[in-house]
Amino acid sequence: MYRHKGLLLLIFLMTVVMGVQIYRYYTEIHTEDESGRYHAVMLYSDTNMDENQNICRQIAEAIEKNLAESHTAEISSYEVENEKYISIDYKISSAILMDADAVVIGGSDAATVEAYQKLKEREIPFILVDGDLPESGRNAYVGIDNFESGRIGADFVVTLEENCFIAVISPLTEEPPQSLENRYQGFMEEIQKYENAEVLKYLDCSLDYQTAYQRIKDFLFQNPKLNILYCTDSISGTAAMNAVLDSSMDHRVHILCYDQTKQTAYGLANGWIDGIIIQDTESIGKACADILEELAAGEKVTDKVVYVNSTMLTPEG
């Protein structure tokens, strides 16, 4: 009888010890690795292209890579359908439902200022990438100076022809993302300085590749005088490249676009694209990760701007 009681007591003590160990695992280790870290959310839009075409996806992946070894901060990224490209309100509402500690957002435009108020009211910090919007009250912007990059683009295209007949091609949206708007404004301001350059047309394109391709192909047929296409994003650049290749133009049509993707890099290597203005997504991701770790440490981040260099790639290097 005493032997059975002793066995029962031993089992009871072993159960208590195991229970304590399990409790310590979930409260100390599991909590630190999972729920204890500062959690950021990034939502970006599907662009109906190869995954290498999406700059915001590249930035999200760079942030994840730079936070992979962090003990204080982490980020989850999600892709939403193409038609919600400018629906910042949708992305912000989704991030709030996910109980995010901070939000990283790309594709802002002037019409979205009020949407950010939801984050301000909840005191949720947010970082803008791929286009700044200071009036949003963002805690930080990380990216290129898009206005200055437009000026660089204008200085480049005037070297391509003795007489430049230019069309500006940009995605058609109800309100253009601020990055594209700034690239357009910078280009237009700078191009006016050159007597050998004339902007003949502006084409509202599309964020959907197939739609963009068809619109540009029709546009070239209707405007045979054009010899330079300034494209404010990579989708328009890729669509313009293929539209020019498939069109029966009797002269060279030069293309300048943004962002090095698999498609634009291929076009540049083959001489079908004359220049690509690139933003260093690795540097953007690193800077965003650093800011998230600052926020995780309780540091105050307000109106911080981190410009990364924009670089012009040409077939010559």
Side-chain angles (χ1 to χ4, degrees):
M1 178 175 176
Y2 290 107
R3 186 179 300 173
H4 290 300
K5 286 183 178 180
L7 182 60
L8 290 173
L9 179 60
L10 178 61
I11 294 172
F12 172 75
L13 290 173
M14 290 177 62
T15 303
V16 170
V17 171
M18 290 179 63
V20 169
Q21 289 177 332
I22 292 171
Y23 173 79
R24 289 182 61 190
Y25 172 78
Y26 277 99
T27 57
E28 296 176 15
I29 302 174
H30 181 79
T31 301
E32 180 183 343
D33 286 348
E34 298 293 331
S35 61
R37 285 187 288 178
Y38 190 84
H39 185 70
V41 169
M42 180 174 182
L43 292 100
Y44 56 89
S45 298
D46 171 30
T47 54
N48 197 28
M49 289 291 289
D50 181 275
E51 63 179 21
N52 295 312
Q53 186 84 0
N54 195 318
I55 293 304
C56 283
R57 180 200 292 255
Q58 293 178 29
I59 293 171
E61 291 175 349
I63 299 172
E64 290 175 2
K65 182 178 75 174
N66 281 280
L67 289 178
E69 302 299 324
S70 174
H71 297 292
T72 59
E74 63 184 357
I75 190 168
S76 300
S77 57
Y78 304 90
E79 186 174 81
V80 298
E81 52 264 48
N82 188 34
E83 60 266 24
K84 293 186 173 65
Y85 180 83
I86 62 167
S87 182
I88 300 299
D89 186 76
Y90 173 88
K91 295 172 183 176
I92 288 173
S93 298
S94 299
I96 291 171
L97 288 173
M98 294 174 192
D99 199 25
D101 293 313
V103 186
V104 181
I105 305 171
S108 301
D109 63 80
T112 63
V113 172
E114 291 184 6
Y116 292 107
Q117 193 60 33
K118 293 181 180 180
L119 294 174
K120 303 295 286 185
E121 289 171 354
R122 292 166 175 79
E123 298 184 346
I124 301 174
F126 59 98
I127 303 169
L128 299 185
V129 296
D130 195 36
D132 194 11
L133 192 64
E135 55 268 41
S136 68
R138 83 291 190 258
N139 296 77
Y141 166 69
V142 182
I144 64 173
D145 183 338
N146 284 291
F147 186 88
E148 182 61 27
S149 74
R151 295 168 62 94
I152 292 171
D155 293 337
F156 174 75
V157 298
V158 296
T159 66
L160 299 175
E161 289 284 349
E162 183 176 352
N163 294 298
C164 304
F165 301 107
I166 305 166
V168 177
I169 299 177
S170 193
L172 172 64
T173 57
E174 184 177 340
E175 289 287 342
Q178 199 65 33
S179 58
L180 308 189
E181 184 68 17
N182 290 346
R183 292 169 188 176
Y184 168 73
Q185 292 173 352
F187 182 87
M188 293 302 292
E189 180 177 293
E190 187 73 7
I191 204 71
Q192 294 175 21
K193 299 178 181 179
Y194 296 98
E195 294 183 357
N196 70 321
E198 182 180 359
V199 178
L200 299 181
K201 294 285 184 178
Y202 176 92
L203 173 65
D204 281 325
C205 204
S206 174
L207 288 165
D208 178 83
Y209 168 78
Q210 292 297 336
T211 303
Y213 165 80
Q214 193 58 54
R215 284 182 183 171
I216 296 172
K217 189 175 180 182
D218 294 342
F219 181 72
L220 290 171
F221 179 77
Q222 296 161 7
N223 300 276
K225 190 177 180 179
L226 294 171
N227 58 11
I228 293 175
L229 304 179
Y230 170 65
C231 304
T232 63
D233 67 309
S234 58
I235 299 173
S236 298
T238 304
M241 174 187 73
N242 289 320
V244 169
L245 289 172
D246 294 343
S247 299
S248 55
M249 305 292 287
D250 60 2
H251 60 271
R252 172 74 185 271
V253 178
H254 303 275
I255 298 171
L256 171 64
C257 68
Y258 280 78
D259 299 328
Q260 185 177 23
T261 66
K262 184 169 69 175
Q263 292 86 357
T264 58
Y266 184 72
L268 188 75
N270 285 279
W272 303 327
I273 291 177
D274 297 84
I276 305 172
I277 299 174
I278 65 169
Q279 48 186 325
D280 185 351
T281 55
E282 288 295 323
S283 294
I284 294 173
K286 175 65 168 60
C288 286
D290 290 344
I291 292 170
L292 290 173
E293 290 196 307
E294 290 174 19
L295 290 167
E299 297 181 28
K300 189 174 182 180
V301 178
T302 305
D303 199 27
K304 184 172 186 175
V305 176
V306 180
Y307 282 135
V308 301
N309 292 330
S310 57
T311 304
M312 175 73 71
L313 297 181
T314 66
E316 291 74 34

